[in-house]
């Protein structure tokens, strides 16, 4: 295999001769245990601080909005702007950072996102209040919203770039469990926000500005992500795309056995050289000129929107409102809300165990079936158990917990993994960026209108609506989503670009 550190020309020469000798990459050597597998585990932990920040920043407002509004003199509309500004900014961040990551690399973008998380947190925490407590401060409101927008851009960027980074570093045999760790980190972040808020509210609830401490906690993982990524490598697949073959091989040898590293870099290089010879377009031009790429992009958008239209984030943002509507007191609802975060983490752990065992599409179908059943049961419980019935809040809480558990076990992790692996390398950042843009736009409108929906049509009407959407989503994923589990990203790239992946799906269905 030559020296341990081959030159660019030596490395490229090996790959070029291999590419000319075979039209498809050879079967890869099996995975082996060793220091390289531990190195991959460390990389995934550091990168998942981005998911932890994602989860904490989207969950912290659940308990911080009350004292924040009281100190800064914010009305309901102004609170709505503060909360939703992060969500809509995340849509922009997802789209922009996907393109940027394709241009400058995954690692650099993740480090920049860590800086944005820290700066956004500082703006929120240092938002000036009026001299008179509870009096509206235009400057404080402007700084607060600016901080939330910056946090939103970082959250959206992390939701796009971190899964791609993990998917491109992971071997295909365990790609699902490695990439899925980011979603587990997200729900751990949300649970951490719920728990931190509850602890601070109980111990320091009498202190003015307690909400600032709730937000300030976010600075710790932001600093850890930045300094951790300083020692992490770039995505080797991105490096091959940029013709940096020797560097890609050197990095892969730190997370694979030498034989496996050489075979994987060769496999990526075969595809890159073939596209170069055929003068294939990349990015938007490739999508516009290839009907199969347009189709997979639309399916990606549909999968992301289907995930959000289950209403999962409506529960994670407004779980206390749902529980209060069911008949719980405000204090009971705040404590019971922690259960949603806890079962989300439990479901995430189960999902990671299943990601490399159950096909993605089958996982989608199981998840949407279970969540739709839970929606129907919640709706019927709201209809059959009148307000004032002591069983009503308990039954509804149990059913909503079952919904969150089903969602996290079978849908959330699987959706992020599937989005990170289905798009070809030359448009991966763009493809997942566009898909996640629609995820956040859908999320934003649900966050904006869910309180109005729940107060207008109640629990019964809201969950019947979610159930109807769930049926449509179930039909969509069962008939349109191609399978990606158990195949290398390079195999998927060819089949997605030529439409062969739908033939594979049809044969599997037959």
């Amino acid at each position: 295999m030559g020296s341990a550190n081959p030159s660019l020309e030596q490395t490229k020469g090996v790959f070029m001769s291999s590419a000319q000798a075979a039209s498809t990459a050879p079967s890869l050597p099996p995975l082996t245990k060793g220091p390289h597998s531990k190195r991959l585990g460390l990389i995934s932990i550091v990168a998942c601080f981005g998911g932890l920040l994602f989860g904490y920043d989207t969950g912290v407002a659940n308990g911080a909005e009350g004292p924040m509004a009281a100190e800064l003199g914010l009305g309901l509309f102004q609170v709505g702007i503060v909360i939703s500004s992060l969500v809509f900014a995340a849509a922009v961040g997802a789209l922009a950072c996907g393109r940027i990551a394709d241009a400058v690399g995954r690692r650099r973008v993740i480090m920049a996102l860590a800086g944005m998380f820290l700066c956004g947190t500082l703006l929120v925490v240092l938002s000036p209040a009026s001299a008179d407590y509870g009096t509206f401060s235009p400057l404080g409101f402007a700084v607060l919203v600016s901080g939330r927008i910056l946090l939103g851009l970082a959250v959206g960027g992390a939701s796009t770039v971190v899964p791609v980074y993990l998917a491109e570093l992971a071997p295909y045999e365990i790609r699902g469990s490695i990439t899925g760790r980011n979603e587990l980190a997200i729900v751990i972040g949300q649970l951490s926000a719920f728990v931190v808020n509850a602890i601070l509210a109980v111990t320091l609830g009498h202190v003015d500005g307690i909400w600032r401490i709730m937000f300030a906690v976010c600075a710790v993982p932001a600093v850890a992500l930045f300094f951790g990524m300083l020692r992490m490598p770039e995505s080797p697949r991105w490096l091959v795309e940029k013709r940096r073959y020797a560097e890609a091989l050197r990095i892969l040898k730190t997370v694979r056995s030498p034989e496996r590293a050489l075979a994987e870099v060769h496999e990526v290089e075969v595809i890159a050289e073939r596209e170069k010879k055929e003068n294939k377009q990349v990015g938007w031009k490739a999508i516009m000129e290839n009907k199969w790429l347009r189709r997979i992009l639309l399916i990606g958008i549909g999968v992301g929107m289907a995930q959000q239209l289950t209403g999962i984030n409506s529960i994670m943002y407004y779980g206390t409102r749902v529980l209060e509507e069911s008949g719980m007191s405000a204090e009971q609802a705040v404590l019971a809300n922690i259960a949603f975060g806890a079962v989300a983490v439990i479901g995430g752990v189960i999902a990671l165990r299943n990601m490399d065992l159950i096909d993605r599409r089958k996982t989608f179908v199981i998840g949407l079936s279970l969540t739709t059943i839970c929606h129907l049961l919640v709706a019927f419980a709201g209809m059959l158990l009148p307000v004032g019935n002591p069983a009503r809040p308990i039954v509804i809480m149990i059913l909503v917990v079952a919904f969150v558990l089903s969602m996290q076990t079978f849908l959330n992790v699987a959706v992020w993994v599937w989005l990170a692996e289905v798009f070809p390398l030359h448009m991966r950042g763009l493809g997942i960026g566009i898909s996640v843009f629609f995820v956040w736009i859908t999320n934003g409108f649900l966050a904006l209108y869910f309180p109005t929906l729940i107060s207008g049509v109640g629990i019964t009407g809201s969950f019947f609506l979610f159930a109807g959407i769930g049926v449509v989503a179930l039909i969509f994923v069962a008939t349109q989503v191609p399978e990606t589990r158990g195949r290398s990203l390079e195999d998927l790239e060819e089949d997605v670009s030529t439409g062969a992946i739908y033939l594979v799906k049809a044969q599997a269905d037959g």
Side-chain angles (χ1 to χ4, degrees):
M1 292 187 297
S3 63
N5 296 294
S7 67
L8 174 60
E9 292 303 321
Q10 290 173 326
T11 306
K12 187 173 180 181
V14 171
F15 296 151
M16 285 294 290
S17 61
S18 300
Q20 292 166 356
S23 59
T24 59
S27 59
L28 297 173
L31 290 180
T32 58
K33 297 288 185 181
H36 54 274
S37 56
K38 293 180 181 179
R39 172 69 172 167
L40 179 61
L42 176 62
I43 292 170
S44 68
I45 291 173
V46 172
C48 283
F49 275 111
L52 188 73
L53 287 160
F54 173 163
Y56 191 91
D57 277 314
T58 54
V60 67
N62 200 331
E65 61 169 304
M68 176 184 67
E71 180 180 342
L72 299 182
L74 305 181
L76 288 177
F77 179 71
Q78 291 156 338
V79 170
I81 292 175
V82 171
I83 302 302
S84 62
S85 60
L86 181 146
V87 180
F88 286 111
V92 178
L95 186 60
C97 289
R99 296 294 306 272
I100 296 171
D102 279 347
V104 305
R106 320 317 190 191
R107 175 177 171 271
R108 289 180 181 176
V109 172
I110 293 174
M111 291 179 64
L113 292 174
M116 291 169 64
F117 274 118
L118 182 59
C119 293
T121 298
L122 291 175
L123 283 175
V124 170
V125 171
L126 299 177
S127 301
S130 174
D132 296 325
Y133 183 89
T135 302
F136 178 69
S137 168
L139 176 61
F141 178 67
V143 173
L144 178 62
V145 172
S146 298
R148 291 286 289 177
I149 290 174
L150 191 56
L151 286 171
L153 293 171
V155 165
S159 68
T160 297
V161 182
V162 173
V164 167
Y165 178 72
L166 293 174
E168 291 183 346
L169 273 161
Y172 76 87
E173 295 93 335
I174 57 172
R175 189 174 60 234
S177 59
I178 293 293
T179 309
R181 291 178 186 182
N182 186 61
E183 176 61 27
L184 179 60
I186 292 171
V187 294
I188 289 175
Q190 289 177 327
L191 175 60
S192 299
F194 297 160
V195 172
V196 167
N197 287 351
I199 292 173
L200 290 175
V202 170
T203 59
L204 299 174
H206 60 285
V207 176
D208 292 341
I210 185 64
W211 63 275
R212 299 179 189 272
I213 302 176
M214 295 175 177
F215 279 105
V217 174
C218 179
V220 178
V223 172
L225 177 63
F226 179 83
F227 285 103
M229 287 303 297
L230 285 174
R231 300 182 62 85
M232 297 300 108
E234 181 53 84
S235 161
R237 284 181 165 81
W238 181 83
L239 290 170
V240 171
E241 176 75 4
K242 301 303 179 182
R243 304 289 190 264
R244 293 159 64 177
Y245 304 103
E247 190 176 350
L249 181 59
R250 177 179 59 79
I251 290 173
L252 260 184
K253 283 184 176 181
T254 67
V255 292
R256 305 283 197 280
S257 66
E259 296 80 9
R260 175 70 179 242
L262 185 62
E264 282 197 29
V265 177
H266 158 63
E267 191 177 40
V268 182
E269 197 270 344
V270 166
I271 302 298
E273 289 299 328
R274 183 177 301 155
E275 289 181 346
K276 182 180 179 181
K277 289 180 180 180
E278 295 175 3
N279 294 318
K280 287 189 176 180
Q281 300 289 347
V282 298
W284 273 114
K285 290 182 178 180
I287 296 171
M288 292 298 101
E289 295 181 3
N290 187 319
K291 67 177 182 180
W292 301 115
L293 296 183
R294 291 197 298 273
R295 177 173 175 176
I296 200 64
L297 180 60
L298 291 174
I299 293 174
I301 292 170
V303 168
M305 292 181 67
Q307 177 206 32
Q308 291 300 308
L309 289 172
T310 60
I312 181 59
N313 279 321
S314 298
I315 298 300
M316 301 310 283
Y317 298 157
Y318 299 109
T320 53
R321 290 179 181 265
V322 173
L323 295 175
E324 287 177 22
E325 178 73 16
S326 73
M328 285 189 181
S329 67
E331 293 78 10
Q332 291 171 333
V334 169
L335 291 175
N337 188 56
I338 296 177
F340 300 148
V343 298
V345 173
I346 294 171
V349 172
I350 298 172
L352 287 188
R353 295 180 63 88
N354 290 337
M355 279 310 302
D356 297 318
L357 301 175
I358 305 175
D359 287 348
R360 313 286 192 247
R361 193 158 56 93
K362 184 180 293 184
T363 303
F364 291 166
V365 170
I366 294 172
L368 283 169
S369 299
L370 290 175
T371 55
T372 301
I373 291 171
C374 289
H375 288 147
L376 290 172
L377 291 176
V378 172
F380 281 120
M383 182 171 61
L384 299 176
L385 296 174
V387 177
N389 188 317
R392 176 184 168 94
I394 297 173
V395 170
I396 289 178
M397 186 191 76
I398 291 173
L399 292 174
V400 175
V401 165
F403 159 67
V404 174
L405 181 62
S406 301
M407 184 75 193
Q408 192 60 41
T409 303
F410 293 103
L411 277 180
N412 276 355
V413 172
V415 165
W416 288 107
V417 170
W418 186 87
L419 287 174
E421 64 191 7
V422 75
F423 296 109
L425 178 60
H426 63 78
M427 60 165 285
R428 188 165 293 141
L430 176 62
I432 191 173
I434 294 172
S435 300
V436 177
F437 171 84
F438 281 94
V439 167
W440 283 108
I441 289 294
T442 307
N443 185 353
F445 279 107
L446 282 175
L448 192 60
Y449 291 110
F450 184 75
T452 303
L453 180 67
I454 200 76
S455 64
V457 300
I459 288 176
T460 297
S462 299
F463 279 84
F464 270 136
L465 178 60
F466 284 139
I469 295 171
V471 172
V472 175
L474 185 59
I475 295 171
F476 168 75
V477 300
T479 59
Q480 298 300 317
V481 173
E483 186 53 54
T484 57
R485 185 180 74 89
R487 304 184 64 195
S488 72
L489 295 179
E490 288 64 49
D491 283 345
L492 289 172
E493 177 161 345
E494 282 199 276
D495 285 356
V496 167
S497 299
T498 62
I501 195 168
Y502 303 105
L503 298 177
V504 173
K505 172 183 175 298
Q507 292 169 358
D509 291 341

